[in-house]
Amino acid sequence: MAMRLTTEIQYLKGVGPKLGDLFSRKGLKTLADLFEFYPRAYEDQRAARNIASLRPDDIVSIKATVVAVHSINMGRSARKMYDVVLRDASGQIHCKYFRVPYKGYFERFKPFTEVRVVGKVTEYRGRIEFHHPDIKDVEPDEETQDALIPLYTEIEGLATAKIMKLVRSAFAQIEEWPEEALPKWMREKYKLIPRQDALKDIHFPDPNKAKEYAEFKTAAQKRIIFDEFFWLELYLASKKAGFQKEGAPQIRNNGYGTNRRGRQYGAEAGNQYPLRRYGPLLQHYSGNGLYDEGKDQEHAPGKCIGTSPGSE
């Protein structure tokens, strides 16, 4: 059978019903779902260092050993700050978290376990530390991997390295891609690379653009962000003005789109496929005001449809 975006994951070579069911329970049923299961971060193994060499604002990848994990109450509230203490032959460093990345995250870190830490070095009260870095188990074969590694959220014990291999296998097996959903004039006006290229670049990152990936500034990430805001704002505009099918310009949503909360957008706006969302990117852009009035207005998706960016 020809592999398309609508093909179920279980039909990929090396997957099968059991593993396919595991992905399905997480809402990942088709190749489109898999391709839009974006990396949560990237690990630049070329930047590997030891603790003593770290400087504020460095974005690094280091190997270290877990010393201890502490939880500290934050004032009178029920909130807690978590502190993962790490050590290597050159020194010790604290990794602080003011929110829990996901349930069970800190239970994984046992004393004397070797881990890899990826993040930006921060100076706080004269001491360097990490705030919300990515900490993962050291993979046995990781030294043979590429220099810039996409990191995925683990799925019930399915390690990020295995997910990466599956995603890359899917790209090798897919045979048919749909036409672009956005018209050519729009892509040219806002300097958007093809959606297919953006998906590939996000899962096959260029090691020479490690800093741009960390700051969400690559052309691939900008294309995905644009799509997310565009379909969301198109939906909001249709709700506000009343969705009219007759006489409306035809813009396809061919399985490309925004996350599970966005599925309703496609259904209610008459699209054939559900929309998805690149949550981390949207949070980064909206949270930092990159599409606010007076900033980056040339590329603001809201301008395409006459609505105000960030109106969610």
Side-chain angles (χ1 to χ4, degrees), residues 238-311:
S238 70
K239 293 289 286 185
K240 183 177 180 180
F243 191 79
Q244 298 179 356
K245 291 187 177 180
E246 294 186 12
Q250 296 298 310
I251 299 180
R252 299 178 303 277
N253 176 20
N254 314 341
Y256 287 149
T258 37
N259 126 6
R260 287 148 200 84
R261 185 173 64 172
R263 292 181 185 276
Q264 68 188 61
Y265 305 159
E268 293 187 28
N271 290 310
Q272 181 179 358
Y273 295 93
L275 300 173
R276 280 166 190 71
R277 179 188 215 74
Y278 198 166
L281 286 187
L282 289 178
Q283 184 180 25
H284 174 83
Y285 270 70
S286 60
N288 287 280
L290 299 187
Y291 283 140
D292 288 346
E293 196 69 33
K295 293 185 179 180
D296 205 18
Q297 285 297 299
E298 180 185 357
H299 296 90
K303 293 182 67 177
C304 301
I305 54 177
T307 60
S308 301
S311 59

Side-chain angles (χ1 to χ4, degrees), residues 89-145:
S90 70
Q92 184 170 288
I93 193 167
H94 293 256
C95 303
K96 294 182 178 178
Y97 297 81
F98 302 95
R99 61 182 181 277
V100 180
Y102 57 83
K103 187 176 180 180
Y105 186 82
F106 298 104
E107 284 75 3
R108 301 181 305 137
F109 306 133
K110 307 298 182 184
F112 310 112
T113 301
E114 187 178 37
V115 295
R116 181 174 287 280
V117 186
V118 184
K120 183 177 181 179
V121 181
T122 299
E123 183 176 12
Y124 180 69
R125 294 184 176 179
R127 184 176 69 178
I128 61 168
E129 54 191 32
F130 286 108
H131 290 177
H132 294 271
D134 270 297
I135 303 180
K136 68 186 186 72
D137 296 333
V138 174
E139 300 290 341
D141 59 345
E142 71 170 26
E143 300 304 333
T144 64
Q145 295 176 346

Side-chain angles (χ1 to χ4, degrees), residues 42-50 59-62 116 118 142-143 145-149 205-214:
Y42 295 89
E43 175 188 342
D44 186 0
Q45 292 190 349
R46 299 171 309 164
R49 304 261 291 277
N50 61 29
I59 298 175
V60 299
S61 167
I62 66 170
R116 181 174 287 280
V118 184
E142 71 170 26
E143 300 304 333
Q145 295 176 346
D146 296 334
L148 189 61
I149 310 300
D206 182 350
N208 297 315
K209 297 180 181 179
K211 188 173 185 294
E212 289 91 333
Y213 274 103

Side-chain angles (χ1 to χ4, degrees), residues 163-190:
I163 296 174
M164 181 186 72
K165 290 178 181 178
L166 180 59
V167 171
R168 295 189 171 189
S169 174
F171 271 104
Q173 294 181 51
I174 191 168
E175 302 171 41
E176 296 183 14
W177 291 83
E179 295 180 15
E180 276 280 352
L182 302 182
K184 182 178 180 181
W185 68 265
M186 184 181 293
R187 301 197 306 273
E188 291 179 346
K189 180 176 181 179
Y190 296 103

Side-chain angles (χ1 to χ4, degrees), residues 189-229:
K189 180 176 181 179
Y190 296 103
K191 300 179 177 63
L192 303 174
I193 68 173
R195 172 84 180 188
Q196 179 179 340
D197 293 346
L199 289 174
K200 288 183 177 179
D201 290 350
I202 280 176
H203 293 288
F204 295 79
D206 182 350
N208 297 315
K209 297 180 181 179
K211 188 173 185 294
E212 289 91 333
Y213 274 103
E215 297 176 351
F216 303 98
K217 292 182 178 180
T218 66
Q221 290 166 314
K222 288 183 178 180
R223 169 62 201 263
I224 299 301
I225 293 166
F226 185 99
D227 287 1
E228 300 292 339
F229 273 113

